[in-house]
């Protein structure tokens, strides 16, 4: 199919609802468009262009777009509700506002398997998700400016989201709500050369300017987030709310103001490594803006980072923050709280302040706990607090060389 235009409104009380195609298994659609408003308030797999591209076939959609508003229940997307297997490319886009309950994205609700690929695509509509779920992984709220969930080896490149994102549950992000995989190594989901520019607001936690949460193997490179991020609970980051296990993050940056309660960071709120056999990568990442936590554990780059053990530390390499950081205790220009982590050739230049009686506030790290090393790194920001106040580290139980 090519060069087809539709514009009639589409309304359904069921599932697999799309402005152009309800469910697609095989075939190719090129140069087609729809301005249909799509409403399936109780439906699953609801999209502005296609409801679902099914896992059992091989489908390609190129140079096509949807401009109508979309409203659904679960797996709701401005372009496609669920991309289980298939390819979308060549400047396909969605511009309508998207509203749903769970797993809602400006372009795609749910991408599934390593047979899902999206290249040269974008979404500009505002995205709203009403789920108040405080569960994780695919049971979270999963609200994103581009995708609700990117899962099990899906690949996305040269994509962006420009809409504002509003959520009420866990895992809300400017580009994706949740990026993850059921295992640590095989079929990693990959996002390259992509960005989000909308403001992110959630009354809950696990909120990020780019992604709310990553779990197991997720690869994100050469990407950025520029929106302001506001979370109503713990674990809020300018780029990612929480990084868990062996994600590979290289050459990314966050630019914007970040507000949360505890575990708040200009790039990531919380970074935790729990699988010894799979080593995470964190290189050439940065943040700028103002980071504010109403509680403890606040960092200009990362709120808290914890390695697997002293023998299996997390690592930060050639990364930096110019963000100012403000919280109650354990506040740092680069990291608020660090445990079992090695840091090399990194720096922080923003002002740092803590208001707690035992501040543990430092220009580089607020509290550096249970070992690790710091090499060839520095801090230049003004530091203020009441006790345990240091130009580089507020409280230390580790080692530093050439810092």
């Amino acid at each position: 199919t090519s060069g087809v235009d539709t514009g009639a409104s589409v309304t359904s009380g069921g599932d697999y609802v799309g402005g152009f195609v309800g469910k697609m298994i095989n075939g190719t659609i090129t140069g087609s468009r729809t301005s249909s408003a799509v409403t399936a308030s109780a439906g699953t797999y609801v999209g502005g262009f296609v409801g679902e591209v099914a896992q059992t076939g091989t489908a390609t959609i190129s140079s096509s777009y949807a401009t109508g508003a979309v409203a659904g229940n679960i797996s709701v997307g401005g372009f496609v509700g669920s991309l289980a297997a298939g390819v979308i490319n060549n400047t396909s886009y969605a511009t309508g506002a998207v509203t749903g309950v769970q797993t809602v994205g400006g372009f795609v609700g749910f991408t599934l398997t390593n047979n899902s690929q999206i290249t040269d695509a974008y979404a500009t509509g505002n995205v709203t998700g009403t789920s108040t779920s405080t569960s994780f992984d695919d049971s979270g709220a999963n609200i994103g400016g581009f995708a609700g969930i990117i899962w099990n080896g899906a690949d996305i490149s040269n994509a962006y989201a420009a809409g504002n994102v509003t959520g009420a549950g866990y895992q809300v992000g400017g580009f994706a709500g949740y990026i993850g995989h059921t295992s640590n190594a095989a079929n990693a989901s990959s996002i390259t050369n992509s960005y989000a520019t909308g403001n992110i607001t959630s009354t809950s936690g696990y909120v990020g300017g780019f992604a709310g949460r990553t779990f197991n193997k997720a690869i994100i490179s050469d990407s950025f987030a520029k929106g302001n991020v506001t979370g109503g609970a713990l674990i809020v980051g300018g780029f990612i709310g929480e990084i868990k296990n062996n994600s590979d993050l290289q050459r990314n940056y966050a630019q914007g103001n970040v507000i949360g309660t505890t575990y708040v960071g200009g790039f990531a709120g919380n970074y935790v490594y729990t699988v010894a056999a799979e080593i995470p990568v964190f290189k050439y990442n940065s943040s700028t803006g103002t980071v504010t936590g109403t509680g403890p554990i606040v960092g200009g780059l990362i709120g808290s980072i914890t390695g697997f053990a002293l023998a299996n530390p997390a690592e930060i390499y050639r990364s930096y923050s110019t963000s100012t950081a403000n919280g109650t205790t354990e506040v740092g220009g680069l990291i608020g709280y660090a445990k079992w982590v090695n840091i090399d050739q990194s720096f922080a230049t923003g002002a740092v302040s803590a208001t707690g009686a035992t501040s543990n506030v430092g220009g580089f790290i607020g509290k550096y706990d249970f070992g690790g090393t710091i090499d060839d790194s520095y801090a230049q920001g003004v530091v203020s607090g009441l006790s345990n106040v240091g130009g580089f580290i507020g409280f230390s139980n580790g080692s530093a060389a050439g810092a």
Side-chain angles (χ1 to χ4, degrees):
T1 303
S2 63
V4 178
D5 190 356
T6 66
S9 296
V10 177
T11 303
S12 173
D15 302 331
Y16 305 101
V17 183
F20 195 88
V21 177
K23 185 172 184 176
M24 183 177 181
I25 297 176
N26 292 302
T28 299
I29 299 174
T30 304
S32 296
R33 54 208 168 269
T34 176
S35 58
S36 299
V38 178
T39 304
S41 298
T44 299
Y45 310 122
V46 181
F49 194 84
V50 179
E52 183 192 48
V53 180
Q55 188 172 355
T56 55
T58 301
T60 300
I61 304 172
S62 298
S63 305
S64 298
Y65 62 86
T67 59
V70 181
N73 184 22
I74 300 171
S75 291
V76 184
F79 191 84
V80 57
S82 176
L83 179 65
V87 176
I88 301 174
N89 58 20
N90 292 343
T91 317
S92 292
Y93 62 89
T95 61
V98 184
T99 304
V101 177
Q102 186 178 36
T103 310
V104 183
F107 189 86
V108 55
F110 197 155
T111 64
L112 174 66
T113 82
N114 59 342
N115 294 319
S116 301
Q117 298 179 8
I118 301 174
T119 305
D120 300 319
Y122 64 89
T124 60
N126 293 334
V127 180
T128 302
T130 60
S131 171
T132 58
S133 172
T134 53
S135 297
F136 297 113
D137 308 330
D138 57 341
S139 296
N142 302 321
I143 314 300
F146 189 86
I149 295 177
I150 301 170
W151 200 42
N152 276 15
D155 291 331
I156 297 175
S157 61
N158 303 322
Y160 72 86
N164 296 326
V165 180
T166 304
Y170 281 5
Q171 300 177 171
V172 176
F175 191 87
Y178 168 62
I179 305 167
H181 196 276
T182 51
S183 67
N184 286 301
N187 296 330
S189 295
S190 175
I191 303 170
T192 59
N193 294 309
S194 297
Y195 64 89
T197 59
N199 294 323
I200 318 305
T201 305
S202 175
T203 55
S204 191
Y206 294 84
V207 186
F210 192 86
R213 184 169 178 262
T214 66
F215 178 67
N216 289 340
K217 192 67 172 179
I219 299 170
I220 306 173
S221 62
D222 302 296
S223 298
F224 64 85
K226 283 192 173 182
N228 295 324
V229 183
T230 303
L234 76 172
I235 304 187
V236 181
F239 194 78
I240 298 174
E242 180 176 73
I243 305 163
K244 187 167 185 180
N245 292 345
N246 61 319
S247 291
D248 185 332
L249 303 172
Q250 299 191 54
R251 299 177 303 278
N252 305 298
Y253 71 89
Q255 180 180 322
N257 300 326
V258 183
I259 299 173
T261 58
T262 183
Y263 292 89
V264 184
F267 188 90
N270 189 39
Y271 183 0
V272 58
Y273 162 33
T274 65
V275 180
E278 302 292 340
I279 301 173
V281 177
F282 191 96
K283 297 181 178 180
Y284 310 105
N285 299 304
S286 63
S287 64
T288 185
T290 298
V291 182
T292 304
T294 58
I297 311 178
V298 179
L301 189 73
I302 299 172
S304 173
I305 181 168
T306 305
F308 180 80
L310 182 59
N312 303 95
E315 296 183 352
I316 295 175
Y317 180 72
R318 288 198 174 185
S319 296
Y320 69 89
S321 175
T322 63
S323 299
T324 59
N326 310 287
T328 57
T329 63
E330 296 175 10
V331 184
L334 195 79
I335 301 169
Y337 175 81
K339 178 179 179 180
W340 295 326
V341 57
N342 295 340
I343 303 169
D344 188 21
Q345 299 177 61
S346 298
F347 66 87
T349 61
V352 186
S353 67
T355 59
T358 303
S359 300
N360 291 337
V361 56
F364 195 77
I365 296 176
K367 185 175 182 179
Y368 186 43
D369 211 0
F370 293 103
T373 61
I374 303 172
D375 295 310
D376 299 322
S377 299
Y378 66 89
Q380 291 183 333
V382 175
V383 182
S384 61
L386 299 178
S387 66
N388 296 348
V389 181
F392 194 74
I393 299 173
F395 177 92
S396 177
N397 191 22
S399 300

